[in-house]
Amino acid sequence: MKKVFAILFSIILLASVSVFGVSAETTEKEWSRLTGPAEFSITKDGVSLSATDGLTFYKYTRDKIDITDFSCTFTLEQDNWWDGHDGEHGYYYSIILTNKAAHSGSQGLFLLLFPTSGHSMRIEGQILNTGFLLSPSYVELDVDTMGPITMHGKVVNGNSYEISFDNCKDTYKFAIPENYQFHKDLDGQGYFGFGANVSGDDENIKMTVSKVNGIETVGTQEAEEKTDTSKETTAAPDNQGTTANATGSVNTTGQSGTTIDSGTTSTMFTILIVTVAALFLIVVVGFVIIAIFIYKKTK
């Protein structure tokens, strides 16, 4: 009888692992293109933006994340190191934490990342869609940019925010603007997004995000979900302009894009989970009935 229950337990455990393994991968439906022409892809390494021109943002719309205790792991790839706002190689990467799933009207933390060498990076901070510069507006840190980069963000003393990186002793700590309390919006929750901007000639950059707040953003590209971005742009054009001043302030104006209804996605996901749970329960009950039947037969 003990062997029967041991086999039953093993089968249940295996089924549980299989269910959780399927739900671990991200899909294209969970990401919304906010603006821009960069190529978006999902692979075993994470979600990627490959850009050669213009400014592109993608946002994770399936779930909100904790902004007060934030972490993100990503890699950066580029042909040239950034050499200043007036330099030859004009580009940057970005990470955004905002209070709305849509881009239009959303506000929150807007970080611009400039890899200046294989072991250094400049980080500039703004409030998205306002051009409001944080104080201090930038720092330069000794960050290894040649491999995976893990960044952390947390609220400090209720009125400051601190950005830190693994294996880097220095941090980027700035005062949270009184008029833009992004860490209090949505009770400390928000939407994660990342982006890439190319303004120089013949630049080719790529940002790949593999994990956000413990959520692994890896998966496989689904052919049936791929869309013709040129048609999307024709139907809903992204009228976008960017300007940069000497301090590196970037203002985005008139940006719009196709967004995915996060409520619909959440509902579909909930229905899927409930269905899987119901099937799992039926299987468990079936095994229990068989075990009881075998027990009575052998008694």
Side-chain angles (χ1 to χ4, degrees), residues 67-68 109 135-136 153-163 172-177 181-184:
I67 290 178
T68 64
L109 183 60
S135 180
K154 64 177 180 179
V155 177
V156 180
N157 299 327
N159 54 13
S160 296
Y161 201 81
E162 186 174 49
I163 301 293
Y172 178 25
K173 185 178 180 181
F174 55 85
I176 299 174
Q181 300 282 296
F182 63 86
H183 65 304
K184 294 182 179 179

Side-chain angles (χ1 to χ4, degrees), residues 123-138:
I123 299 98
E124 300 183 4
Q126 303 182 26
I127 298 298
L128 185 66
N129 287 327
T130 67
F132 186 94
L133 299 180
L134 301 175
S135 180
S137 61
Y138 75 93

Side-chain angles (χ1 to χ4, degrees), residues 25-270:
E25 291 191 349
T26 191
T27 65
E28 198 168 352
K29 291 180 179 179
E30 298 172 353
W31 296 86
S32 171
R33 182 180 71 85
L34 303 181
T35 185
E39 179 183 349
F40 176 81
S41 62
I42 303 175
T43 68
K44 60 181 180 59
D45 297 320
V47 291
S48 299
L49 282 180
S50 299
T52 57
D53 185 45
L55 174 64
T56 299
F57 286 124
Y58 263 79
K59 189 176 289 185
Y60 184 63
T61 56
R62 172 178 156 184
D63 294 309
K64 294 189 291 292
I65 62 170
D66 185 1
I67 290 178
T68 64
D69 187 11
F70 167 77
S71 67
C72 177
T73 299
F74 56 90
T75 57
L76 307 178
E77 301 175 50
Q78 57 281 315
D79 296 332
N80 306 290
W81 300 118
W82 183 77
D83 56 357
H85 287 290
D86 297 323
E88 179 182 356
H89 306 299
Y91 67 87
Y92 65 80
Y93 305 96
S94 64
I95 289 178
I96 58 176
L97 301 173
T98 67
N99 59 357
K100 292 183 179 180
H103 185 64
S104 178
S106 62
Q107 293 179 352
L109 183 60
F110 178 22
L111 295 176
L112 288 67
L113 311 178
F114 304 87
T116 54
S117 74
H119 53 78
S120 61
M121 184 163 61
R122 178 184 174 109
I123 299 98
E124 300 183 4
Q126 303 182 26
I127 298 298
L128 185 66
N129 287 327
T130 67
F132 186 94
L133 299 180
L134 301 175
S135 180
S137 61
Y138 75 93
V139 296
E140 295 184 8
L141 302 177
D142 295 330
V143 177
D144 182 4
T145 62
M146 299 296 289
I149 301 170
T150 299
M151 186 184 84
H152 307 274
K154 64 177 180 179
V155 177
V156 180
N157 299 327
N159 54 13
S160 296
Y161 201 81
E162 186 174 49
I163 301 293
S164 62
F165 295 86
D166 284 359
N167 303 317
C168 178
K169 63 179 181 179
D170 296 321
T171 65
Y172 178 25
K173 185 178 180 181
F174 55 85
I176 299 174
E178 292 185 4
N179 295 333
Y180 303 108
Q181 300 282 296
F182 63 86
H183 65 304
K184 294 182 179 179
D185 289 346
L186 306 180
D187 295 324
Q189 300 290 301
Y191 292 93
F192 167 82
F194 71 115
N197 177 65
V198 176
S199 55
D201 296 330
D202 300 322
E203 299 295 340
N204 184 13
I205 68 174
K206 181 178 181 180
M207 182 176 188
T208 302
V209 177
S210 58
K211 186 179 294 186
V212 180
N213 275 30
I215 303 171
E216 293 189 356
T217 56
V218 299
T220 54
Q221 195 78 11
E222 299 180 35
E224 66 273 14
E225 291 181 358
K226 291 182 180 179
T227 58
D228 185 346
T229 55
S230 63
K231 292 181 179 179
E232 286 186 4
T233 304
T234 302
D238 294 320
N239 299 318
Q240 161 192 311
T242 61
T243 59
N245 59 27
T247 62
S249 171
V250 177
N251 301 320
T252 57
T253 59
Q255 301 178 53
S256 63
T258 304
T259 59
I260 296 172
D261 186 347
S262 58
T264 301
T265 304
S266 299
T267 301
M268 293 175 63
F269 182 75
T270 302

